[in-house]
Amino acid sequence: MLNVPSQSFPAPSSQQRAASGGRSKVPLKQGRSLMDWIRLTKSGKDLTGLKGRLIEVTEEELKKHNTKDDCWICIRGLVYNVSPYMEYHPGGEDELMRAAGSDGTDLFDQVHRWVNYESMLRECLVGRMAVKPAVPKDCREEKKVLNGMLPKSQVTGTLAKESPISPSYDWFQTDSLVTIVIYTKQKDINLDSVIVDHQCDTFRAETIIKDYSYLVHIGLSHEIQEDFSVRVVENVGKIEIVLKKKESTSWECLGRPLENHNSLILKKDKGLYYRKCQLISKENVTHDTKFFCLMLPRSTHLQVPIGQHVYLKLTITGTEIVKPYTPVSDSLLSEFKDPVLPNNKYIYFLTKIYPAGLFTPQLDRLQIGDFVSVSNPEGNFKISQFQELEDLFLLAAGTGFTPMVKVLNYALNNIPSLRKAKLMFFNKTEDDIIWRSQLEKLAYKDKRFDVEFVLSAPTSEWNGKTGYISSGLLSEFLKRSSDKSKVLICICGPMPFTEQGIRLLHDLNFSKDEIHSFTG
Ligand code: FAD
Ligand code: NAD
C-alpha cells in the first residue's frame, strides 16, 4: 500500500513495476499521478479535515475511521487520513482499505517499506497514537550498562529472545581514543557487515548478522573527531570502531542510549537510514545513461555488498522522493579484491535518465558539489552463492546490467573454481549498450569471460542476435562447462523480462538454487 505512483498508467515494463515486486496495479484516472498528488498537497487544501491540528488518537477512535470516505491508517505510530489519497494510490483503493481503521505498518512493510510515506502523506497526518511515554535512561544508568559487557537478556527487540544470535557490545578508552567493540560471535562478518555514521554527538552502528540487524545508537557524552576507523577480526566476528577524542579527557560514560539502541531485529523490519553524499562527477555513458560518482561523508563507514542496492532520496517540489539504484564498481577492468579497501569513500552508479520520469531528471540536474541522500544497502544476494562456482551466466536487460557489474568483477577476481562467465545483454539498439567497449575488452583480456548482445529494435546494419528473451536464445547460451558443473544464473531487467526469463529457465530444468533474480 501507499506506493509512490510515478505515472498514471505504468507501462508493462515500467520501473515502478520492478520496484514494487511486480504486484498488480490498477489504472489511475487522468490527473491522479504522483505529480498531481504533490500539487494537491501543496495547494493549501485541508486534507485531514482538522485544519492543521494534530490530535492524539486512541485505538477506539482509529477503528471508527474505516470507510473509503473516512479512512485513517496508522503507520509506525503515526495516524494518517488517507481518504484524499485513495484515487492516487497505484495499488488501488481496495489495497489501502485493507488497513482502514487499523495499524497498517506490517502491510505497508510487506509491499514497499522504503516508500517515504512521512513526506508523501505529511498533509494527511492526523496525529499520533496514544502511547505510554518511554522512560528516558540517564547517563549514569547508561554508564552502568556500557562499562561492562552487556548481558544477553538486555538486548532489546521483539526477536532478541528467539534469535539464534546474541550480539553485544562494550567500550574502552585511552587518552586519545574511544573504542566501541561489537561482538557478533559469528564468523562470516566483514567490513560490509557494519555501517557506521556519526553526526554531531550521535553515533550509530548497524551490524548485519545473518538475517538480523543489531543497532548500537548512542548520544555520545563527549565530542569526537570526524574520521574514525573500523576493523574486523573475522575469525571471532569482532568489530572494533576506533573514535578519536576531540579532547584528551577521561569519559565517565559513553553516552545516553538513543532510539532502538542495543536492539536486534529482523533485517526486513529495519527502517532505512540516510546520509547526505556529495556528487563528485557525472559522465555520459550512452545517449541516456550516465555514470555518477558520489562521495560518502568522512563520518560514515558504508560499503555496499555485491548484488545489493541502495535508495537515493531527493526532495522534489517539497516532497521527498525515494528510488532504488544498484551501485557499480568504477570500471569492469579494474581489479576487485575482497575486502574492499577500508578507506573506500566513493559510490558509483550507472543511471538511465528518463526525460518523462520523476526522479532521474532531477538527479541529472544536480551540479557537482550538490548532495543526495543515500540509504543503507538492501538486497538478498549472498556471496555464498559463489561457493565452488564453475559457470556463471548473467542475463541482463537495459540498466538491469548494474547488479551484474560487481557480480562479474568479484567472480572473475575471487573465485578460483570459476571456469566460465557469460553475459547475455539485451538492449533495444546498439546505442543503448552500456559499457560495450569495456565488456569487449574484458572478453579479450579474460578468456573465461564472454559477452553476447541481443537487440530488440536493431537497425538494418546489425547482424548479431535479435529479439526478446526466448527459449531458443537461452538453450544455446546456457551451455555448462561440464555435465555436473556448479552453475549460477543471475537475471535482471524490466519485470516482464525477468519473469519470462525465470519461467524459461525453469523449463530448461535449472533449479531455484541455480537462479538469482534481482527484483528489488
Ligand atoms: P518514473 O517516473 O518511474 O518513470 C519511468 C518510466 O515511465 C519512464 O520511461 C517515463 O517516461 C514513463 N512514464 C512516466 N510517466 C508516465 C505516464 N504518465 N505515462 C506513460 N509513461 C510514463 N535504474 C538505473 O538507471 N540504474 C540502477 O542502478 C537501478 N537500480 C535499480 C535497483 C532496483 C532494486 C530497482 C527496483 C530499480 C532500479 N533502477 C535502476 C530503476 C530506478 O529505481 C527507477 O525506477 C528509474 O530510475 C526510473 O525512475 P524515474 O522516477 O526517473 O522514472
Ligand atoms: P529497456 O526498456 O531499454 O529494455 C531493455 C531490454 O529489455 C529490451 O531490449 C528487451 O530485450 C527487454 N524487454 C523490455 N520489455 C520487455 C518485455 N515486455 N518483455 C520481455 N523483454 C522485455 O530497459 P530499461 O529502460 O533500461 O529498464 C531496465 C529495468 O531494469 C528497469 O525496469 C529497472 O527498474 C530494472 N532494474 C532493476 C534492478 C534490480 O532489481 N536490482 C536494477 C537495475 C535495473
Coordinates of all heavy atoms in Angstrom, one line a residue, residues 420-475:
K420 N 33.9 -20.3 -16.3 CA 33.3 -19.6 -17.4 C 32.3 -18.6 -16.8 O 31.6 -18.8 -15.9 CB 32.5 -20.6 -18.2 CG 32.0 -20.2 -19.5 CD 31.8 -21.4 -20.5 CE 30.4 -22.0 -20.3 NZ 30.1 -23.1 -21.2
A421 N 32.4 -17.4 -17.4 CA 31.4 -16.3 -17.0 C 30.9 -15.7 -18.3 O 31.7 -15.2 -19.2 CB 32.1 -15.2 -16.2
K422 N 29.6 -15.8 -18.5 CA 29.0 -15.3 -19.8 C 27.9 -14.3 -19.5 O 27.0 -14.6 -18.6 CB 28.5 -16.5 -20.6 CG 29.5 -17.3 -21.3 CD 28.9 -18.5 -21.9 CE 28.2 -18.2 -23.2 NZ 27.7 -19.5 -23.9
L423 N 27.9 -13.3 -20.3 CA 26.8 -12.3 -20.1 C 26.0 -12.2 -21.4 O 26.6 -12.1 -22.5 CB 27.4 -10.9 -19.9 CG 26.5 -9.7 -20.0 CD1 25.4 -9.6 -18.9 CD2 27.3 -8.4 -20.0
M424 N 24.7 -12.4 -21.3 CA 23.8 -12.1 -22.5 C 23.1 -10.8 -22.1 O 22.4 -10.7 -21.1 CB 22.8 -13.2 -22.7 CG 22.0 -13.0 -24.0 SD 21.1 -14.5 -24.4 CE 22.1 -15.2 -25.7
F425 N 23.4 -9.8 -23.0 CA 23.0 -8.4 -22.6 C 21.9 -7.9 -23.7 O 22.2 -7.8 -24.8 CB 24.2 -7.5 -22.7 CG 24.0 -6.2 -22.0 CD1 22.8 -5.8 -21.4 CD2 25.1 -5.3 -21.9 CE1 22.7 -4.6 -20.8 CE2 25.0 -4.0 -21.3 CZ 23.8 -3.7 -20.7
F426 N 20.7 -7.8 -23.2 CA 19.5 -7.4 -24.0 C 19.3 -5.9 -24.0 O 19.2 -5.3 -22.9 CB 18.3 -8.1 -23.5 CG 18.3 -9.6 -23.6 CD1 18.9 -10.3 -22.6 CD2 17.7 -10.3 -24.6 CE1 19.0 -11.7 -22.6 CE2 17.7 -11.7 -24.6 CZ 18.3 -12.4 -23.7
N427 N 19.3 -5.3 -25.2 CA 19.0 -3.9 -25.3 C 18.1 -3.6 -26.5 O 17.9 -4.5 -27.3 CB 20.3 -3.1 -25.5 CG 21.1 -3.0 -24.1 OD1 20.8 -2.2 -23.3 ND2 22.1 -3.9 -24.0
K428 N 17.7 -2.4 -26.6 CA 16.8 -2.1 -27.7 C 17.7 -1.9 -29.0 O 17.5 -2.5 -30.0 CB 16.0 -0.8 -27.5 CG 15.0 -1.0 -26.3 CD 14.0 0.1 -26.2 CE 14.6 1.3 -25.7 NZ 14.4 1.6 -24.3
T429 N 18.7 -1.0 -28.9 CA 19.6 -0.7 -30.0 C 21.0 -0.7 -29.6 O 21.3 -0.8 -28.4 CB 19.3 0.7 -30.6 OG1 19.7 1.7 -29.6 CG2 17.8 1.0 -30.8
E430 N 21.9 -0.7 -30.6 CA 23.4 -0.7 -30.2 C 23.7 0.5 -29.4 O 24.6 0.4 -28.5 CB 24.2 -0.6 -31.5 CG 24.5 -2.0 -32.1 CD 25.4 -1.8 -33.4 OE1 24.8 -1.6 -34.5 OE2 26.6 -2.0 -33.2
D431 N 23.1 1.7 -29.6 CA 23.4 2.9 -28.9 C 23.0 2.8 -27.4 O 23.4 3.6 -26.6 CB 22.6 4.1 -29.4 CG 23.1 4.5 -30.8 OD1 24.2 4.0 -31.1 OD2 22.4 5.2 -31.5
D432 N 22.2 1.8 -27.0 CA 21.7 1.6 -25.6 C 22.7 0.8 -24.8 O 22.5 0.6 -23.6 CB 20.3 1.0 -25.6 CG 19.3 1.9 -26.2 OD1 19.3 3.1 -25.9 OD2 18.4 1.3 -27.0
I433 N 23.7 0.1 -25.5 CA 24.5 -0.8 -24.7 C 25.5 -0.1 -23.8 O 26.3 0.7 -24.2 CB 25.3 -1.7 -25.7 CG1 24.4 -2.5 -26.7 CG2 26.2 -2.7 -24.9 CD1 25.1 -3.3 -27.7
I434 N 25.3 -0.4 -22.5 CA 26.2 0.3 -21.5 C 27.5 -0.4 -21.5 O 27.6 -1.6 -21.5 CB 25.5 0.2 -20.1 CG1 24.1 0.9 -20.1 CG2 26.4 0.7 -19.0 CD1 23.3 0.6 -18.9
W435 N 28.6 0.4 -21.4 CA 30.0 -0.1 -21.3 C 30.3 -1.2 -22.3 O 31.0 -2.2 -22.0 CB 30.2 -0.6 -19.8 CG 30.4 0.5 -18.8 CD1 30.4 1.8 -19.1 CD2 30.7 0.3 -17.4 NE1 30.7 2.5 -17.9 CE2 30.9 1.6 -16.9 CE3 30.8 -0.8 -16.6 CZ2 31.1 1.8 -15.5 CZ3 31.1 -0.6 -15.2 CH2 31.3 0.7 -14.7
R436 N 29.9 -1.0 -23.5 CA 30.1 -2.0 -24.5 C 31.6 -2.3 -24.7 O 32.1 -3.4 -24.8 CB 29.5 -1.6 -25.9 CG 29.8 -2.6 -27.0 CD 29.1 -2.2 -28.2 NE 29.3 -3.2 -29.3 CZ 28.7 -3.2 -30.4 NH1 27.9 -2.3 -30.7 NH2 29.0 -4.2 -31.3
S437 N 32.4 -1.2 -24.8 CA 33.8 -1.4 -25.2 C 34.5 -2.0 -24.0 O 35.4 -2.8 -24.1 CB 34.5 -0.1 -25.6 OG 34.9 0.7 -24.5
Q438 N 34.1 -1.7 -22.7 CA 34.7 -2.3 -21.6 C 34.4 -3.8 -21.6 O 35.3 -4.6 -21.2 CB 34.2 -1.7 -20.3 CG 34.7 -0.4 -19.9 CD 34.5 -0.1 -18.4 OE1 34.8 -0.9 -17.6 NE2 34.1 1.1 -18.1
L439 N 33.2 -4.1 -21.9 CA 32.8 -5.6 -22.0 C 33.6 -6.3 -23.0 O 34.1 -7.4 -22.8 CB 31.3 -5.7 -22.3 CG 30.4 -5.4 -21.1 CD1 29.0 -5.1 -21.6 CD2 30.4 -6.5 -20.0
E440 N 33.8 -5.7 -24.2 CA 34.6 -6.4 -25.2 C 36.0 -6.5 -24.8 O 36.7 -7.5 -25.1 CB 34.4 -5.6 -26.6 CG 33.0 -5.9 -27.1 CD 32.5 -5.1 -28.3 OE1 33.1 -4.0 -28.5 OE2 31.6 -5.5 -29.0
K441 N 36.6 -5.4 -24.2 CA 38.0 -5.5 -23.7 C 38.1 -6.6 -22.7 O 39.1 -7.3 -22.7 CB 38.4 -4.2 -23.1 CG 38.9 -3.2 -24.1 CD 39.5 -2.0 -23.5 CE 39.5 -0.8 -24.4 NZ 39.2 0.5 -23.8
L442 N 37.2 -6.7 -21.8 CA 37.2 -7.7 -20.7 C 37.2 -9.1 -21.3 O 38.0 -10.0 -20.9 CB 36.1 -7.5 -19.7 CG 36.1 -8.5 -18.5 CD1 37.3 -8.2 -17.6 CD2 34.8 -8.3 -17.7
A443 N 36.4 -9.3 -22.4 CA 36.3 -10.6 -23.0 C 37.6 -10.9 -23.7 O 38.0 -12.1 -23.7 CB 35.2 -10.6 -24.0
Y444 N 38.3 -9.9 -24.2 CA 39.6 -10.1 -24.9 C 40.6 -10.5 -23.8 O 41.5 -11.4 -24.0 CB 39.9 -8.8 -25.6 CG 41.2 -8.9 -26.3 CD1 41.3 -9.6 -27.5 CD2 42.4 -8.3 -25.8 CE1 42.6 -9.7 -28.2 CE2 43.6 -8.4 -26.5 CZ 43.7 -9.1 -27.7 OH 44.9 -9.2 -28.3
K445 N 40.6 -9.8 -22.7 CA 41.6 -9.9 -21.6 C 41.5 -11.2 -20.8 O 42.4 -11.8 -20.5 CB 41.4 -8.7 -20.7 CG 42.6 -8.4 -19.8 CD 42.2 -7.2 -18.9 CE 42.2 -7.7 -17.4 NZ 41.6 -6.7 -16.5
D446 N 40.2 -11.6 -20.6 CA 40.0 -12.7 -19.7 C 39.3 -13.8 -20.5 O 38.1 -13.6 -20.8 CB 39.2 -12.3 -18.5 CG 39.2 -13.4 -17.4 OD1 39.1 -14.6 -17.8 OD2 39.2 -13.0 -16.2
K447 N 40.0 -14.9 -20.8 CA 39.4 -15.9 -21.7 C 38.2 -16.6 -21.1 O 37.4 -17.3 -21.8 CB 40.5 -16.9 -22.1 CG 41.6 -16.3 -23.0 CD 41.0 -15.9 -24.3 CE 41.9 -14.8 -25.0 NZ 41.2 -13.6 -25.5
R448 N 38.0 -16.5 -19.8 CA 36.9 -17.2 -19.2 C 35.6 -16.4 -19.4 O 34.5 -16.9 -19.3 CB 37.0 -17.2 -17.6 CG 38.2 -18.1 -17.2 CD 38.5 -17.9 -15.7 NE 38.8 -16.5 -15.4 CZ 38.9 -16.0 -14.2 NH1 38.7 -16.8 -13.2 NH2 39.2 -14.8 -14.0
F449 N 35.7 -15.1 -19.8 CA 34.5 -14.3 -20.0 C 34.1 -14.1 -21.4 O 35.0 -13.9 -22.3 CB 34.8 -12.9 -19.4 CG 33.7 -11.9 -19.6 CD1 32.4 -12.2 -19.0 CD2 33.8 -10.8 -20.4 CE1 31.3 -11.3 -19.2 CE2 32.8 -9.9 -20.6 CZ 31.5 -10.2 -20.0
D450 N 32.8 -14.1 -21.7 CA 32.3 -13.9 -23.0 C 31.0 -13.0 -22.9 O 30.3 -13.2 -21.9 CB 31.9 -15.3 -23.6 CG 32.0 -15.3 -25.1 OD1 32.3 -14.2 -25.6 OD2 31.8 -16.4 -25.7
V451 N 30.8 -12.2 -23.9 CA 29.5 -11.4 -23.9 C 28.8 -11.5 -25.2 O 29.4 -11.6 -26.3 CB 29.9 -9.9 -23.6 CG1 30.9 -9.3 -24.6 CG2 28.6 -9.1 -23.5
E452 N 27.5 -11.6 -25.1 CA 26.7 -11.6 -26.4 C 25.6 -10.5 -26.2 O 24.9 -10.4 -25.2 CB 25.9 -13.0 -26.5 CG 26.8 -14.0 -27.1 CD 26.1 -15.3 -27.3 OE1 24.9 -15.2 -27.7 OE2 26.7 -16.4 -27.2
F453 N 25.5 -9.7 -27.3 CA 24.5 -8.7 -27.3 C 23.2 -9.1 -28.1 O 23.4 -9.7 -29.2 CB 25.0 -7.4 -27.9 CG 26.3 -6.9 -27.2 CD1 27.5 -7.0 -27.8 CD2 26.2 -6.4 -25.9 CE1 28.6 -6.5 -27.1 CE2 27.3 -6.0 -25.2 CZ 28.5 -6.0 -25.8
V454 N 22.1 -8.8 -27.5 CA 20.8 -9.2 -28.2 C 20.0 -7.9 -28.3 O 19.7 -7.2 -27.3 CB 20.0 -10.2 -27.5 CG1 18.7 -10.6 -28.2 CG2 20.9 -11.5 -27.2
L455 N 19.6 -7.5 -29.5 CA 18.9 -6.2 -29.7 C 17.4 -6.5 -30.0 O 17.1 -7.3 -30.9 CB 19.5 -5.4 -30.8 CG 21.0 -5.0 -30.5 CD1 21.5 -4.1 -31.6 CD2 21.2 -4.4 -29.2
S456 N 16.5 -5.7 -29.4 CA 15.1 -5.9 -29.7 C 14.6 -4.9 -30.8 O 13.5 -5.1 -31.3 CB 14.2 -5.7 -28.4 OG 14.5 -4.5 -27.8
A457 N 15.3 -3.9 -31.0 CA 14.9 -2.9 -32.1 C 16.2 -2.5 -32.8 O 16.5 -1.3 -32.8 CB 14.2 -1.7 -31.4
P458 N 16.8 -3.4 -33.5 CA 18.1 -3.1 -34.2 C 17.9 -2.3 -35.5 O 16.8 -2.4 -36.0 CB 18.7 -4.5 -34.4 CG 17.5 -5.4 -34.6 CD 16.5 -4.8 -33.7
T459 N 19.0 -1.7 -35.9 CA 18.9 -1.1 -37.2 C 19.2 -2.2 -38.3 O 19.7 -3.3 -37.9 CB 20.0 0.0 -37.4 OG1 21.3 -0.6 -37.2 CG2 19.8 1.2 -36.4
S460 N 19.1 -1.9 -39.5 CA 19.3 -3.0 -40.5 C 20.8 -3.4 -40.6 O 21.1 -4.5 -41.1 CB 18.8 -2.5 -41.9 OG 19.4 -1.2 -42.2
E461 N 21.7 -2.6 -40.1 CA 23.1 -2.9 -40.1 C 23.5 -4.0 -39.1 O 24.5 -4.6 -39.2 CB 24.0 -1.7 -39.9 CG 24.1 -0.8 -41.0 CD 23.5 0.6 -40.7 OE1 24.1 1.3 -39.8 OE2 22.5 0.9 -41.2
W462 N 22.7 -4.2 -38.1 CA 23.0 -5.1 -37.0 C 22.9 -6.6 -37.5 O 21.9 -7.0 -38.0 CB 22.0 -4.9 -35.9 CG 22.2 -5.9 -34.7 CD1 21.4 -6.9 -34.4 CD2 23.3 -5.9 -33.8 NE1 21.9 -7.6 -33.3 CE2 23.1 -7.0 -32.9 CE3 24.4 -5.1 -33.6 CZ2 23.9 -7.3 -31.8 CZ3 25.3 -5.4 -32.5 CH2 25.0 -6.5 -31.6
N463 N 24.0 -7.3 -37.4 CA 23.9 -8.7 -37.8 C 24.1 -9.7 -36.7 O 24.4 -10.9 -36.9 CB 24.9 -9.0 -39.0 CG 26.3 -8.5 -38.7 OD1 26.7 -8.4 -37.5 ND2 27.0 -8.1 -39.8
G464 N 24.0 -9.2 -35.5 CA 24.0 -10.0 -34.3 C 22.6 -10.6 -33.9 O 21.7 -10.6 -34.8
K465 N 22.5 -11.1 -32.7 CA 21.2 -11.7 -32.3 C 20.2 -10.6 -32.1 O 20.5 -9.5 -31.7 CB 21.5 -12.5 -31.0 CG 22.4 -13.7 -31.2 CD 22.2 -14.6 -30.0 CE 22.7 -16.0 -30.4 NZ 24.1 -16.1 -30.8
T466 N 18.9 -11.1 -32.3 CA 17.8 -10.1 -32.2 C 16.7 -10.7 -31.4 O 16.6 -11.9 -31.2 CB 17.3 -9.7 -33.5 OG1 16.9 -10.9 -34.2 CG2 18.3 -8.9 -34.4
G467 N 15.7 -9.8 -30.9 CA 14.5 -10.3 -30.3 C 14.5 -10.1 -28.8 O 15.4 -9.5 -28.2
Y468 N 13.5 -10.6 -28.2 CA 13.3 -10.6 -26.7 C 13.9 -11.9 -26.2 O 14.3 -12.8 -26.9 CB 11.9 -10.6 -26.3 CG 11.3 -9.2 -26.2 CD1 12.0 -8.0 -26.5 CD2 9.9 -9.0 -25.7 CE1 11.4 -6.8 -26.4 CE2 9.4 -7.7 -25.6 CZ 10.1 -6.6 -26.0 OH 9.6 -5.4 -25.9
I469 N 14.0 -12.1 -24.9 CA 14.5 -13.3 -24.2 C 13.6 -14.5 -24.7 O 12.4 -14.3 -24.7 CB 14.5 -13.1 -22.7 CG1 15.3 -14.3 -22.0 CG2 13.1 -13.0 -22.1 CD1 15.7 -14.0 -20.6
S470 N 14.2 -15.6 -25.1 CA 13.5 -16.7 -25.6 C 14.2 -18.0 -25.2 O 15.4 -18.0 -24.9 CB 13.3 -16.6 -27.1 OG 14.6 -16.8 -27.7
S471 N 13.4 -19.1 -25.4 CA 14.0 -20.4 -25.0 C 15.1 -20.7 -26.0 O 16.1 -21.3 -25.6 CB 12.8 -21.4 -25.1 OG 13.2 -22.5 -25.6
G472 N 14.9 -20.3 -27.3 CA 16.0 -20.6 -28.3 C 17.3 -19.9 -27.9 O 18.3 -20.6 -27.9
L473 N 17.2 -18.7 -27.5 CA 18.4 -17.9 -27.2 C 19.1 -18.5 -25.9 O 20.3 -18.7 -25.9 CB 18.1 -16.5 -26.9 CG 17.8 -15.5 -28.0 CD1 17.3 -14.2 -27.5 CD2 19.1 -15.3 -28.8
L474 N 18.2 -18.9 -25.0 CA 18.8 -19.4 -23.7 C 19.4 -20.7 -23.8 O 20.5 -21.0 -23.3 CB 17.7 -19.4 -22.6 CG 17.2 -18.0 -22.1 CD1 16.3 -18.2 -20.9 CD2 18.4 -17.1 -21.8
S475 N 18.7 -21.6 -24.5 CA 19.3 -23.0 -24.6 C 20.6 -23.0 -25.3 O 21.5 -23.8 -24.9 CB 18.3 -24.0 -25.2 OG 17.8 -23.5 -26.4

